[in-house]
Amino acid sequence: MTRSFSRRDFLKLASLAAANVFLAGGLAARASEASRPNILIFVFDTLSARHMSLYGYHRKTTPNLERFAERANVYHRHYSAGNFTVPGTASLLTGTYPWTHRAFQQSGLIQRSLASHNLFAAASRPYRKTVFSQNLWAENLLSQFQADIDTHLPPTAFSQFDGLAGDSALFHRDKDVAFRAYDDFLFQKFDTPGSLYFSLLNKINSTVMYNDTFAEHAADYPLGIPNLLKYDVYYLLEDIFSGIQNQLTRLDAPALGYFHFFSPHELYYPRKEFAGRFNDGWTPEAKPFHPLSDTAFQHDVLCAYRNGYDELIANVDDEFGKLMDFMQRAGFFENSYIVVTSDHGQLFERGEHGHGTALMFDPVIHIPLLVHAPGQTGRNDFFAPNSNVDILPTLLRCAGFEIPAWAEGVPLAGLGGSEDLARPVFAIDAKSNPALTPLRQATIAMIQGDQKLIHYRGYPGAEDSFELYNLRDDPEEMRDLAADLPDVVASMKNVMLARLAEADQPFTREG
Amino acid sequence: MNAPTLKPWWKNRLPPPGEIVPVYALVAFALYGWTLFHFVWKVPSWLYFLGVGEVLILLARAIFTNLLESVAFTALILGLCIFLPAKFLRNRFVLRGGALAVALLAWIAYFDIIASLIVPPVSILIGWTALVLVTVPMLVYLAGRFSVVERFLLWLGDRLIVFLYLTIPLGLLSGGIIFFRFVFGGGE
């Protein structure tokens, strides 16, 4: 005798069916979430493409990045939108030029009304965002995006010791202001500190701690312990990479990770295996001083600095090689976009050592960009100029998100875009300008095809001058063609100034 | 008959409050003045990208640090009073404490300026300390030899007391603001 199908049976069956649908949907959702690729961005501060053997540099500085390049898209003419950390990093993370995001002062910030326009906000759920920056100016920018970040490692993570007051647990609710008050003013280095007495005690403490650390590691770091130069944070390169490697194992997929390493930023303190490696007697061609150079270092001094820088790049490359091998073993190459780039380069020419000056020659804005796509086994090379404002739209497209209308970049060739030699890209230095006024004093570089136009604006003695270079025929930018090719200058100038006027419009009286 | 009360031994070695205040005023004026001078120097560049409110919060942190510094530095001088014979420092405290404060702060300012670029190596620290240990007692001794110096320091200390009516309340208010932000956050 068959049992009749009761209402209770129906309700049980219906609820079971609903649970199955829900469960399957949940599993599918998790499977779908998990199938989204991870995005890992590694930024090496101050790494110039011009100093990488990957891009043809005379010295063998990046053999491991060359290995990585065998499975990556390699962009040979990638430009930072700024010539120091603040504008360069802000452009990478917002997909906008400095004249839009307005972070172009030393230790500056993105315009508050635009802080939500960033990669972490745009790459919404299911992505879990983890960020780490050793560079404290980049850290200031990341703090503006705090609401969109899930895990924010402190800049002192994995370091040997630090003397940062702003990083103290006392100020955990107020750390940005604490950083500016204490580390950027009261106890600052590179300028007279704002505190007369406590800064002395701070210096004595730093000296004692540094000597203890140096004594422990002098054998491995004979030139000195790597540090943040302007701030009392001391680290060993291998510890930073090891810490990041550990962090990678803790990521929840799909992960968006941003890791900003301070090296190879000066001071150039490589491990012993790399110290002295490039005392090979090679010297590049000397270049004439530029009227707007901040300093007047002689050629032999610049060559000595260059040697140290190249050695530190080789050290960083070696550590990256180990990280790369780890990522290979852990399967990240199968399920992740892996981006290797920089925020800006470095100058050792025309009397100038460093970055963040009024000069925009290629060594300071031509930076590396390598992007490995999930499962990629071959190398693709791209030669059209592109900008780090293109990284945000590219990664969003790769992750399956819409590109926001406010992004000024376009997807990179090979990753949803195409090569366009006619498209101009820009780099802007405007650190002496208030954020919310038109740019009165600035250096603007525009790269279009093989041509590069540099505009110096508002500098005493160079109020409104232009330089023009052909980067294919004259990659060292030795011959200013502005007088010889006035039509080219006029054409590029119109484009440049139109873009500048458009960017300045909200900050003019009429705007 | 009342039993004699025993004061702690160290209280007998401290100068009277009436002499401590002008020396503290001198110390506070130097420390607050140094900070405010450099703060005003920094403000224009901060205003490029910070709001006025944020700059005022920075100022509050700086002023509260000055309050703590000035108390700590004065405590250092008073600590020397406890351990040195009275004729070296405690007696004629306004003169000797004031001269000590001025000489020490001048040396500290010099060190802050020359060592701003680097973590000073131990050799520089030792050399500087030696210079301080040699010259400061000499300056304090010499200050006592000239009555014009004593009159000047007395006059200066008395005049600077008026600034304490501003610096101490501002310092305490700043401390309150910092405590509030510690508890409730900055709202950034």
Side-chain angles (χ1 to χ4, degrees), chain A residues 235-278:
Chain A
Y235 61 94
L236 305 181
L237 205 50
E238 59 267 30
D239 288 350
I240 303 299
F241 276 86
S242 170
I244 295 304
Q245 181 176 308
N246 250 334
Q247 199 58 38
L248 291 178
T249 63
R250 299 177 190 197
L251 295 178
D252 290 324
L256 169 54
Y258 176 86
F259 305 103
H260 190 133
F261 298 80
F262 194 73
S263 296
H265 193 297
E266 68 269 30
L267 300 161
Y268 309 127
Y269 291 162
R271 270 186 67 96
K272 61 183 178 189
E273 298 87 349
F274 301 92
R277 173 178 286 200
F278 295 125

Side-chain angles (χ1 to χ4, degrees), chain A residues 392-431:
Chain A
L392 178 144
T394 301
L395 294 178
L396 288 178
R397 175 164 287 185
C398 292
F401 295 102
E402 292 293 315
I403 298 171
W406 45 258
E408 294 181 89
V410 299
L412 290 162
L415 292 169
S418 57
E419 299 215 86
D420 181 1
L421 285 169
R423 174 184 173 236
V425 297
F426 301 91
I428 297 106
D429 174 67
K431 58 184 168 298

Side-chain angles (χ1 to χ4, degrees), chain A residues 170 174 190 194-196 234, chain B residues 35 61 69 112 116 119 181-182:
Chain A
L170 276 176
D174 199 15
F190 268 64
S195 156
L196 181 53
Y234 295 82
Chain B
T35 299
R61 288 198 175 274
E69 278 186 304
D112 275 343
S116 60
V119 172
R181 289 175 72 90
F182 168 71

Side-chain angles (χ1 to χ4, degrees), chain A residues 189-302:
Chain A
K189 293 162 66 177
F190 268 64
D191 208 343
T192 314
S195 156
L196 181 53
Y197 178 45
F198 279 175
S199 65
L200 170 70
L201 303 181
N202 182 259
K203 280 193 177 66
I204 292 172
N205 179 58
S206 294
T207 297
V208 170
M209 292 173 73
Y210 179 81
N211 277 282
D212 287 346
T213 307
F214 186 60
E216 191 180 340
H217 299 285
D220 289 331
Y221 285 89
L223 301 180
I225 307 297
N227 61 82
L228 297 196
L229 185 63
K230 193 170 151 47
Y231 304 102
D232 277 342
V233 180
Y234 295 82
Y235 61 94
L236 305 181
L237 205 50
E238 59 267 30
D239 288 350
I240 303 299
F241 276 86
S242 170
I244 295 304
Q245 181 176 308
N246 250 334
Q247 199 58 38
L248 291 178
T249 63
R250 299 177 190 197
L251 295 178
D252 290 324
L256 169 54
Y258 176 86
F259 305 103
H260 190 133
F261 298 80
F262 194 73
S263 296
H265 193 297
E266 68 269 30
L267 300 161
Y268 309 127
Y269 291 162
R271 270 186 67 96
K272 61 183 178 189
E273 298 87 349
F274 301 92
R277 173 178 286 200
F278 295 125
N279 288 343
D280 51 13
W282 174 74
T283 58
E285 181 183 6
K287 297 183 182 177
F289 286 9
H290 192 278
L292 292 180
S293 294
D294 269 358
T295 53
F297 289 108
Q298 293 302 314
H299 186 59
D300 56 338
V301 173
L302 291 174

Side-chain angles (χ1 to χ4, degrees), chain A residues 3-17:
Chain A
R3 179 174 167 275
S4 61
F5 191 73
S6 69
R7 185 164 56 181
R8 179 178 288 185
D9 290 331
F10 172 77
L11 287 172
K12 274 189 199 172
L13 191 61
S15 61
L16 272 174

